[in-house]
Coordinates of all heavy atoms in Angstrom, one line a residue:
G1333 N -194.8 -207.4 122.2 CA -194.1 -206.9 121.0 C -193.8 -205.4 121.1 O -194.5 -204.7 121.8
A1334 N -192.9 -204.9 120.3 CA -192.5 -203.5 120.3 C -193.8 -202.6 120.0 O -194.5 -203.0 119.1 CB -191.4 -203.2 119.3
G1335 N -194.0 -201.6 120.8 CA -195.1 -200.7 120.5 C -196.4 -201.1 121.2 O -197.4 -200.4 121.1
T1336 N -196.4 -202.2 121.9 CA -197.7 -202.6 122.6 C -197.8 -201.7 123.8 O -196.9 -201.4 124.6 CB -197.6 -204.1 123.1 OG1 -197.6 -204.9 122.0 CG2 -198.8 -204.4 124.0
V1337 N -199.0 -201.2 124.0 CA -199.3 -200.3 125.1 C -200.6 -200.7 125.8 O -201.5 -201.2 125.2 CB -199.5 -198.8 124.7 CG1 -198.2 -198.3 124.1 CG2 -200.6 -198.6 123.7
T1338 N -200.6 -200.5 127.2 CA -201.8 -200.7 127.9 C -202.3 -199.3 128.3 O -201.7 -198.6 129.0 CB -201.6 -201.5 129.2 OG1 -200.7 -200.8 130.1 CG2 -201.1 -202.9 128.9
A1339 N -203.4 -198.8 127.6 CA -204.0 -197.5 128.0 C -204.5 -197.6 129.4 O -205.2 -198.6 129.7 CB -205.1 -197.2 127.0
N1340 N -204.2 -196.6 130.2 CA -204.7 -196.7 131.6 C -205.7 -195.5 131.9 O -206.1 -195.4 133.0 CB -203.5 -196.6 132.5 CG -202.7 -195.3 132.4 OD1 -202.8 -194.6 131.5 ND2 -201.9 -195.1 133.5
W1341 N -206.0 -194.8 130.9 CA -206.9 -193.6 131.1 C -207.8 -193.5 130.0 O -207.4 -193.5 128.8 CB -206.0 -192.4 131.2 CG -206.6 -191.1 131.8 CD1 -207.2 -190.9 132.9 CD2 -206.6 -189.8 131.1 NE1 -207.7 -189.6 133.1 CE2 -207.3 -188.9 131.9 CE3 -206.1 -189.4 129.9 CZ2 -207.5 -187.6 131.6 CZ3 -206.3 -188.1 129.6 CH2 -207.0 -187.2 130.4
R1342 N -209.1 -193.4 130.3 CA -210.1 -193.3 129.2 C -210.0 -191.9 128.5 O -209.8 -190.9 129.1 CB -211.5 -193.4 129.8 CG -211.8 -194.9 130.1 CD -213.2 -195.0 130.7 NE -214.2 -194.3 130.0 CZ -215.5 -194.6 130.0 NH1 -215.9 -195.7 130.6 NH2 -216.4 -193.9 129.3
F1343 N -210.2 -191.9 127.2 CA -210.1 -190.7 126.4 C -211.2 -189.7 126.8 O -210.9 -188.5 126.7 CB -210.3 -191.2 124.9 CG -210.1 -190.0 123.9 CD1 -208.8 -189.5 123.7 CD2 -211.1 -189.5 123.2 CE1 -208.6 -188.5 122.8 CE2 -211.0 -188.4 122.3 CZ -209.7 -188.0 122.1
D1344 N -212.3 -190.2 127.2 CA -213.4 -189.3 127.7 C -213.2 -188.9 129.1 O -214.1 -188.2 129.7 CB -214.8 -189.9 127.4 CG -215.0 -191.2 128.2 OD1 -214.2 -191.5 129.1 OD2 -216.0 -191.8 127.9
E1345 N -212.2 -189.3 129.8 CA -211.8 -189.0 131.1 C -212.8 -189.5 132.2 O -212.8 -189.0 133.3 CB -211.6 -187.5 131.3 CG -210.5 -186.9 130.3 CD -210.2 -185.5 130.5 OE1 -210.6 -184.8 131.5 OE2 -209.7 -184.9 129.5
K1346 N -213.6 -190.4 131.9 CA -214.6 -191.0 132.8 C -213.9 -192.1 133.6 O -212.9 -192.7 133.1 CB -215.8 -191.5 132.1 CG -216.7 -190.4 131.5 CD -217.9 -190.9 130.9 CE -218.7 -189.7 130.3 NZ -219.9 -190.2 129.5
P1347 N -214.4 -192.6 134.7 CA -213.8 -193.7 135.4 C -213.8 -195.0 134.6 O -214.7 -195.1 133.7 CB -214.8 -193.9 136.6 CG -215.4 -192.6 136.8 CD -215.6 -192.0 135.4
V1348 N -212.8 -195.8 134.8 CA -212.7 -197.1 134.1 C -213.7 -198.1 134.6 O -213.8 -198.3 135.8 CB -211.2 -197.6 134.2 CG1 -211.1 -198.9 133.5 CG2 -210.3 -196.6 133.7
W1349 N -214.4 -198.8 133.7 CA -215.3 -199.9 134.0 C -214.7 -201.2 133.5 O -213.9 -201.2 132.6 CB -216.6 -199.6 133.3 CG -217.4 -198.5 133.7 CD1 -217.1 -197.1 133.7 CD2 -218.7 -198.5 134.4 NE1 -218.0 -196.4 134.2 CE2 -219.1 -197.2 134.7 CE3 -219.6 -199.5 134.7 CZ2 -220.3 -196.8 135.3 CZ3 -220.8 -199.2 135.3 CH2 -221.1 -197.8 135.6
V1350 N -215.0 -202.3 134.2 CA -214.6 -203.6 133.8 C -215.9 -204.5 133.7 O -216.9 -204.2 134.4 CB -213.6 -204.2 134.7 CG1 -212.3 -203.5 134.7 CG2 -214.1 -204.4 136.2
K1351 N -215.8 -205.5 132.9 CA -216.9 -206.4 132.8 C -216.6 -207.6 133.7 O -215.6 -208.3 133.6 CB -217.1 -206.9 131.4 CG -218.3 -207.7 131.2 CD -218.5 -208.1 129.7 CE -219.2 -207.0 129.0 NZ -219.6 -207.3 127.6
I1352 N -217.6 -207.9 134.6 CA -217.5 -209.0 135.6 C -218.7 -209.8 135.5 O -219.8 -209.3 135.7 CB -217.2 -208.5 137.0 CG1 -215.9 -207.7 137.1 CG2 -217.2 -209.7 138.0 CD1 -215.6 -207.1 138.4
Q1353 N -218.6 -211.1 135.1 CA -219.7 -212.0 134.9 C -220.8 -211.3 134.0 O -222.0 -211.4 134.4 CB -220.2 -212.5 136.2 CG -219.2 -213.3 137.0 CD -219.7 -213.8 138.3 OE1 -220.7 -213.2 138.9 NE2 -219.0 -214.8 138.8
G1354 N -220.5 -210.7 133.0 CA -221.4 -210.1 132.0 C -221.9 -208.7 132.4 O -222.7 -208.2 131.6
S1355 N -221.6 -208.2 133.5 CA -222.1 -206.9 133.9 C -220.9 -205.9 134.0 O -219.8 -206.2 134.5 CB -222.8 -206.9 135.3 OG -223.9 -207.8 135.3
L1356 N -221.2 -204.7 133.6 CA -220.2 -203.6 133.7 C -220.2 -203.1 135.1 O -221.2 -202.8 135.7 CB -220.5 -202.5 132.7 CG -220.1 -202.7 131.3 CD1 -220.5 -201.6 130.4 CD2 -218.6 -203.0 131.1

Side-chain angles (χ1 to χ4, degrees):
T1336 293
V1337 298
T1338 60
N1340 64 341
W1341 192 57
R1342 285 178 45 153
F1343 187 72
D1344 61 10
E1345 302 180 20
K1346 293 181 180 176
V1348 177
W1349 291 64
V1350 296
K1351 189 175 276 189
I1352 298 176
Q1353 296 180 341
S1355 297
L1356 285 176

